[in-house]
Structure formats: structure tokens, C-alpha cells
Amino acid sequence: MSHNEVFSIKETSEQAGLSEDTIRYYEKIGLLPRAERKTNRHRVYRPEDIHTMKLITCLKKTGMSLEEMKPYLQMSMDSDLADFPEEREMLVNHRKKVEAQIASLQQVVDFIDEKLDKRSMYPDEFPITEENQMSVFEKKNIFS
């Protein structure tokens, strides 16, 4: 991709994995800068914009709110997170949250595998204990 290359909102949507409405909404709330416009008023986007949209998608998957993302999106491409201790700490915390979700999901996979291996849904002699049982809160966060 050339840095002079521009994309329509449809092309950008396909490359970034976001709907056109979502892109417009992110512009409206200031998460993305206002798109440049052609003389016919159609939006155009550059590769850097698509990169930012992919970053938003990634941060969203960590459970970060759109408001929490704004400081990260305001950093330049060559910013060093070490220069932003609060943002770095928040990112570390989001990473820990994702790791906990992975561990909880692995418990679910292990449980399903065990049931498939035994070919039975009846309780085992050693049911899931309180220490490794997911709370209702964890289930809601994982499966929503």
C-alpha cells in the first residue's frame, strides 16, 4: 500500500473489518479524525486510518471502552509507551484480564473435552470445585 493511496468508505470497511456505520460513528464521537473528502464530498481514507481502525478493534476485544481508547489513539505512531506510564499500566491490566478470560475459557474447553471423552453429561465423582468454578460475573464477561 502506498501512503498516497486512498480508499472509499466501502473499501476501508472491508479492509478494517468495521461496518461503514461504525466508521461514521467513530468519526462522530471523535475516536477517529474526520475523514478527508473528495470534491464530490465522499469520504476517503488512507492506510494509516485503516491501521487505526484495526487498533480500535483490537483494543475493543480487550474489553476497553471507546472512551478509554482515546489516549492510545492520540499517541503518534512512534510514541513509546514507557513515556505514558498511566496508559501503559492500563494496557497491562487489560492484558491480565484477557489472560484470566483465556484461563476461564480453557476450563470450559477441558470440561467439554472430558464430557466428550466419557461420552456422558452426568456429574463426575469430582465435580468442578469452587476454586476453579467461573463466577456468574466471569461467564457474563466471557460470553457477551
Side-chain angles (χ1 to χ4, degrees):
M1 267 191 273
S2 160
H3 285 286
N4 295 330
E5 194 171 11
V6 294
F7 304 95
S8 69
I9 192 167
K10 181 177 183 189
E11 293 167 325
T12 301
S13 170
E14 291 167 0
Q15 289 187 41
L18 297 172
S19 72
E20 293 175 31
D21 287 340
T22 298
I23 294 170
R24 288 185 196 100
Y25 174 71
Y26 287 171
E27 286 180 25
K28 181 179 177 182
I29 65 170
L31 202 58
L32 291 171
R34 285 288 205 215
E36 294 178 35
R37 304 279 182 149
K38 290 182 176 179
T39 54
N40 64 4
R41 305 278 301 138
H42 290 172
R43 290 173 165 88
V44 292
Y45 299 90
R46 302 195 179 283
E48 306 82 52
D49 300 320
I50 294 169
H51 175 81
T52 300
M53 291 175 204
K54 288 180 178 180
L55 175 62
I56 291 168
T57 300
C58 184
L59 293 175
K60 191 173 179 188
K61 287 179 182 179
T62 71
M64 191 178 291
S65 73
L66 298 178
E67 192 60 37
E68 289 173 311
M69 290 179 200
K70 287 183 179 181
Y72 297 101
L73 301 174
Q74 292 169 353
M75 292 178 189
S76 68
M77 293 279 193
D78 59 353
S79 291
D80 184 345
L81 268 176
D83 295 336
F84 301 89
E86 289 178 26
E87 286 79 5
R88 185 186 183 290
E89 183 63 26
M90 190 166 75
L91 201 55
V92 167
N93 290 335
H94 278 282
R95 183 181 194 285
K96 288 176 184 176
K97 180 180 168 186
V98 170
E99 287 174 335
Q101 290 173 337
I102 290 169
S104 292
L105 285 172
Q106 187 60 55
Q107 288 178 354
V108 173
V109 169
D110 292 346
F111 175 79
I112 291 169
D113 287 346
E114 181 182 333
K115 294 302 172 189
L116 290 170
D117 289 345
K118 291 185 177 185
R119 300 171 59 184
S120 172
M121 290 303 293
Y122 287 101
D124 298 333
E125 294 176 39
F126 307 103
I128 294 177
T129 62
E130 186 177 315
E131 66 192 27
N132 65 4
Q133 185 176 13
M134 288 190 303
S135 70
V136 172
F137 175 75
E138 289 171 320
K139 289 178 186 175
K140 180 180 182 288
N141 283 336
I142 290 171
F143 300 112
S144 59

